Structures are given as structure tokens and as C-alpha cells.
Amino acid sequence: MAQHHFHLTAQWEGGRNGTGTIDAGNLKSVISIPKEMRGPGVGTNPDEMLIGSAATCYLITLAAMLERQNIPVQELSLKTEGVVREERGLKFERITHRPQVILASSATADQRKQTEAATERAERHCMISNALRGNVELAVEANISTVTD
């Protein structure tokens, strides 16, 4: 069984409203508490990193599924929203992925149905979604269209 190890180093200066840095190879950033949570809003924050992780995993999974099914994709993009509830503490409540899939004009009705199914399946197969499932509500609201000549 193969294992993959990922590492992150972090530094922090100050108290609650301080700032820090993270370095995880290709991910290097300043970090702090977001302004929405009465922090300094410098650099990124755990909330953005969590939805970023969920979104990139979902998008890569969806792209791989569409490729394996030979779906003629013209354009693939994604908007993801994370909702944190502040009530007796903070709780990351929901992540909603809103993929936009534009199929080539050569796409068949069957390929469109396969694409619709893949947008839902990708969320269930994404490693990050599976790590969050049961703690965070996960949803997909896909928008699928076809290029018209």
C-alpha cells in the first residue's frame, strides 16, 4: 500500500490578531484570521484554505472523470462557497460547488447525461470531500450547457 506524505511548516507572531506564514511546498502564504471574524484579514485563512482544498480536489476529480468518459468539454470552471456559522463558537457548516461545464457542439444527449452524473459523482469520490463528510454539508449545483455554432 502506497502512502503519500505532505508537510507544512508554519510560523506565528502575536496573539489572536497576529499574522503568520505557511509553507507547504508549492503553497506559501501569509495567514491570519479573516476580517469577517474580526481579524486583521492579512493573507489567507483556514476557511479559504478549506474551501480551496475542497474545490481543487472536486475540480480535478471531475476533470479526470469527464476525460475517462471521453466527454468533449469546451470549458470547465468552478465557483465554490463555504458557509461558517457563528453561534456558540464557529462551525464550518456547508460547502457548495457550482461547476460550469460547457460541452463542445459535438456532445450527444447521452454525453450530457453522463456529465450531469459526473458532477455529482465527483463530489462523492473526492478525497477531501470524503474527509469532511459527516461534519460539513456538501452540495453540488451544476450548470451544464453546450456550445452552439
Side-chain angles (χ1 to χ4, degrees), residues 5-27:
H5 297 260
F6 300 91
H7 302 277
L8 180 141
T9 57
Q11 298 290 321
W12 189 262
E13 293 184 19
R16 181 195 183 281
N17 285 325
T19 61
T21 59
I22 58 168
D23 183 335
N26 289 321
L27 174 63

Side-chain angles (χ1 to χ4, degrees), residues 72-76 100-108 112 144-149:
V73 176
Q74 182 79 26
E75 185 180 320
L76 176 59
Q100 166 103 21
V101 184
I102 302 174
L103 301 174
S105 58
S106 62
T108 65
R112 185 182 175 103
I144 301 166
S145 59
T146 304
V147 172
T148 54
D149 294 324

